[in-house]
Amino acid sequence: MFMVAPVVSPLIVNEDGGGFVDQYTSSPSKILGYTSKNPDEDIDWLKHRINAPFLFPQTNFGPDLMFRLQLEGGELLTVALQTKYKEYASAIKTPQAIQKAINSVNPDNFYRNAKGKAYAAESYDDLPKQTLDALDSLPQRYGANRVGYHSVLCGLFTCPTVAVEKSKNWQAYQEILGKIDDAKVVFNPDHEFFVVKFDAIEKLTRKMLPKEALSRLIKGLTDRWMENTKKREALGKKKLAAKLGKKRAGP
């Protein structure tokens, strides 16, 4: 288990005369999240050149969101998070869908297509390698001496994760973890992987403004799902009644 402090990126990096990192400090930012316009800006953020704590990278990068954490011992980690949203139930149910989501936060797949080929090879010189090199350039990164490890904490978050057709206590993350335990889906063993519990996020943000926003969101989605279900059932009964009526009337 990691003990972490709040987001510490962006960083001000001071280099010595030879171009090596001498020291770094946390720096303030007027931007909370930055949406990159191209792969170059993704690389710039990874190399601490864009002053924003959160990065929304290019679609072909893989993750939906990236940020950095400082561990209790002072080491730094990059977090790569994939998010999935659906009005009700789990946004991802099948092993194939879960595997695809997990693959998107695997550092070995960053800027690679489903066949493993580098993205935009005609425009960039080995973009996947540039990305991994940029990750490895993080000063004082956690586990820097581990072979094949790029100090990335890989995560998956589905919202909402409450499957209202079963019960309010059933969480989709349990199904995801169950498929991992059953070896139906796999993740890169060289990197840590986690699944975010929606109820934990809801509890953490409950007092933040707007207060109880996630609770109200889920209630609204649940109410709408139940209303639509009733409408579908009523429509089905109406069609059945019309069909039976025609049969009684005969030719």
Side-chain angles (χ1 to χ4, degrees):
M1 178 178 293
F2 292 115
M3 296 294 292
V4 300
V7 175
V8 295
S9 184
L11 305 172
I12 293 176
V13 179
N14 300 315
E15 297 182 351
D16 60 20
F20 294 97
V21 173
D22 180 42
Q23 60 179 332
Y24 72 91
T25 58
S26 297
S27 58
S29 174
K30 62 181 180 181
I31 302 173
L32 181 61
Y34 186 83
T35 301
S36 71
K37 301 179 182 65
N38 51 60
D40 291 322
E41 291 192 340
D42 289 332
I43 300 296
D44 284 343
W45 184 88
L46 291 174
K47 290 186 174 181
H48 350 292
R49 296 169 182 166
I50 292 180
N51 199 25
F54 295 92
L55 173 71
F56 300 97
Q58 290 285 291
T59 302
N60 293 299
F61 191 123
D64 290 326
L65 175 67
M66 301 191 77
F67 55 95
R68 284 182 166 131
L69 295 174
Q70 185 175 42
L71 305 183
E72 191 174 37
E75 302 96 336
L76 300 178
L77 265 178
T78 300
V79 180
L81 187 65
Q82 176 67 226
T83 62
K84 295 296 181 182
Y85 172 83
K86 193 174 182 180
E87 276 200 11
Y88 61 89
S90 173
I92 48 176
K93 286 186 175 181
T94 66
Q96 293 81 4
I98 296 173
Q99 187 67 69
K100 184 177 179 181
I102 291 175
N103 289 346
S104 71
V105 293
N106 179 353
D108 292 340
N109 295 329
F110 289 168
Y111 272 122
R112 293 187 182 278
N113 61 25
K115 295 181 179 180
K117 293 184 178 181
Y119 170 74
E122 68 283 356
S123 304
Y124 292 90
D125 181 20
D126 201 348
L127 190 55
K129 184 178 184 303
Q130 287 189 50
T131 304
L132 295 181
D133 288 345
L135 285 166
D136 293 347
S137 72
L138 181 65
Q140 203 173 332
R141 67 182 179 92
Y142 174 78
N145 296 324
R146 285 167 54 181
V147 177
Y149 183 65
H150 304 287
S151 307
V152 177
L153 184 58
C154 313
L156 176 59
F157 177 53
T158 60
C159 175
T161 53
V162 177
V164 295
E165 75 273 22
K166 292 188 177 180
S167 75
K168 291 184 178 179
N169 295 323
W170 186 88
Q171 296 280 329
Y173 80 91
Q174 294 172 331
E175 180 175 329
I176 295 171
L177 292 177
K179 286 182 170 59
I180 292 174
D181 290 340
D182 294 339
K184 292 180 180 179
V185 297
V186 296
F187 59 92
N188 186 344
D190 291 332
H191 289 79
E192 292 79 19
F193 176 79
F194 68 97
V195 180
V196 181
K197 294 176 62 175
F198 179 83
D199 51 358
I201 299 298
E202 188 279 325
K203 183 177 180 180
L204 181 66
T205 60
R206 191 173 295 166
K207 294 183 179 180
M208 296 181 181
L209 295 177
K211 289 187 176 181
E212 299 184 356
L214 289 178
S215 297
R216 293 200 301 272
L217 170 66
I218 296 304
K219 184 179 185 305
L221 292 173
T222 302
D223 290 346
R224 184 163 66 180
W225 179 82
M226 294 179 69
E227 182 181 350
N228 290 338
T229 299
K230 290 179 181 178
K231 287 181 180 179
R232 287 193 296 269
E233 290 175 350
L235 181 60
K237 290 179 181 178
K238 186 176 180 180
K239 288 181 177 180
L240 179 60
K243 186 176 181 180
L244 292 175
K246 287 181 179 179
K247 286 184 177 181
R248 291 193 188 101

